[in-house]
């Protein structure tokens, strides 16, 4: 078992630590902090944009539901009116039938005009 290469690797790592090549410099740390802050700011802006979009969407959905409810109420009302008109038409037809039946039962005048 050769131990020498392990000591060499350990010595190389110690040299890099001593010279500062394995420890990030202050400039690198500042750059990492800047990139992290920039990323956090972009994520926060994106979260705010998503929140605004969600609020707008919720408002549009509420307006659409309200419009649908109003449309359904108007449709029901029109159906009620149509049923009432149909009932009145049936009454008028029945009345007309009754009037024709009565008029048809009356004797016609001999010299008069039927129009």
């Amino acid at each position: 078992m050769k131990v020498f290469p392990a000591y060499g690797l350990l010595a190389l790592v110690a040299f890099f630590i001593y010279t500062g090549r394995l420890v990030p410099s202050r400039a690198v740390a500042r750059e990492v902090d800047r990139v992290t802050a920039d990323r956090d700011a972009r994520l926060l802006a994106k979260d705010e944009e998503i929140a605004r979009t969600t609020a707008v969407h919720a408002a549009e959905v509420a307006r659409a539901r309200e419009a649908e409810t109003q449309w359904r109420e108007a449709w029901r009302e029109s159906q009620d009116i149509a049923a009432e008109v149909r009932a009145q038409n049936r009454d008028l037809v029945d009345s007309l039938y009754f009037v024709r039946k009565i008029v048809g039962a009356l004797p016609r005048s001999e010299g008069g005009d039927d129009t």
Side-chain angles (χ1 to χ4, degrees):
M1 179 170 148
K2 292 186 178 184
V3 183
F4 181 74
Y7 286 130
L9 185 59
L10 186 60
L12 185 62
V13 169
F15 173 74
F16 283 142
I17 290 174
Y18 177 73
T19 59
R21 294 192 181 165
L22 284 183
V23 179
S25 66
R26 289 184 187 170
V28 171
R30 276 184 267 143
E31 182 66 17
V32 168
D33 289 343
R34 186 192 65 76
V35 168
T36 303
D38 184 49
R39 183 202 63 208
D40 291 345
R42 283 186 285 125
L43 288 175
L44 184 61
K46 190 56 121 173
D47 286 346
E48 291 171 354
E49 179 184 351
I50 289 171
R52 282 192 306 272
T53 304
T54 302
V56 167
H57 176 71
E60 288 175 359
V61 167
R63 282 193 298 271
R65 285 184 179 155
E66 180 63 27
E68 181 182 7
T69 301
Q70 290 175 356
W71 181 86
R72 287 181 187 273
E73 289 173 1
W75 183 81
R76 285 186 192 117
E77 185 177 335
S78 71
Q79 292 301 307
D80 292 344
I81 291 170
E84 184 178 330
V85 167
R86 283 192 298 271
Q88 289 175 356
N89 284 345
R90 277 192 300 270
D91 291 345
L92 288 173
V93 167
D94 291 345
S95 298
L96 183 60
Y97 177 75
F98 182 71
V99 167
R100 282 186 178 175
K101 192 174 183 183
I102 290 175
V103 169
L106 294 175
R108 292 185 183 246
S109 62
E110 293 292 323
D113 190 16
D114 281 340
T115 57

